[in-house]
Amino acid sequence: MKRLLTATALLMASTGIASAEGVLQLYNWGNYTSPELLEKFKAETGITVTVTDYDANDTALAKIRAGGHGFDLVVPSANYVPIFRDEGLIVELDHSRLPHIGNIDPQWVDVAWDPGRKFSIPWQWGSTGIVVNTKVYGGDINTSSVFLNVPDELKGKINVTPEMNDIVNLAIWYVGGEACTEDTEVLKKARDALIAAKPDWLSMDYGATEKMSNNDWAASVYWNGAAMRIRLANPDVAYGYPREGYPLFMDSVALLKDAQNVDEAYKFLDFILQPENAAMISSFARYANGISGSEEFMPEDMKTAPEVIIPEEFKAAGHFLPTCSPKAQEYMTAIWTELQK
């Protein structure tokens, strides 16, 4: 009986850790959450936010599917929100608990992946492109050939971020296909291009912000906000928009079905809907956000940054990735698995 009571007490204590009053568990992309934002939130609410990082949408999805994770909020990309929703992993938001819900910029309300913002609110949005140290390579950087037909100057010096949907669809556009295609001929061309290029890559890693800032890498397929952070640390770095086609994304925050700190989660969601606080996220991560009125609080250098303001000539090549059909996802997963060998 003593053992049983001890085990029960331990179980209750461990459960209390996840659902303790005044704490919140955020599952987010790595190096993407402003420490100053979390400090301000704690100062105003008394709630401590613990952030656990991931490096790919599929990593986050697998973790949440497995259950027992202890997280309250997750930040999937646009094309993954419907997956989380349709699998019942996230819950519909109670807008009456979000007094600042009206601050979402109208263009980001009736979005294809979450009409009416029933399940998510904006975090940041941007693009996936090519980051290059121009002292190492002075050629055209506005093309996916930088990583799919690696120039001699970049061989063994280029990284490819480990985000399957971005990388496989960049290859599909490069060979003339459409995102999430089920055309097996196009998919074979994309696979062959990736497999042929891989020997010229240095790595498939998430940590480009630090490693390109330090000149450990000469190029990477990466995201625009991180590219700006790299350039601020290393002025030789520039960001390219692949003219063959490149992904646009919006990462959005959603409340997990098995969240244990629901009241704290709603307070945080409403907190980041306020323009000054949304701007703090952008000031740290260097991506645009979807909150009206945040512009006046944004750093001046973001208002003209080439990584944030897409040049007119490359706007048409940017596309939000759709949620792929199960068959398309299966094909892409097979390509990605082969690429990991």
Side-chain angles (χ1 to χ4, degrees), residues 133-170:
N133 187 318
T134 58
K135 276 198 170 180
V136 178
Y137 178 65
D140 183 9
I141 65 172
N142 295 296
T143 171
S144 286
S145 67
V146 172
F147 82 100
L148 290 172
N149 187 16
V150 183
D152 289 340
E153 300 95 316
L154 295 177
K155 288 181 178 178
K157 302 175 183 178
I158 185 169
N159 174 70
V160 173
T161 193
E163 173 57 30
M164 178 183 74
N165 281 262
D166 283 358
I167 301 307
V168 176
N169 280 303
L170 278 165

Side-chain angles (χ1 to χ4, degrees), residues 108 123-127 224 248-251 287-290 320:
W108 300 115
W123 180 264
Q124 301 267 269
W125 76 274
S127 61
N224 65 304
L248 298 174
F249 69 85
M250 173 172 270
D251 297 327
Y287 298 91
N289 63 70
F320 276 96

Side-chain angles (χ1 to χ4, degrees), residues 304-316:
T304 56
E307 301 91 350
V308 179
I309 310 300
I310 302 175
E312 199 64 38
E313 63 181 305
F314 299 119
K315 281 185 177 179

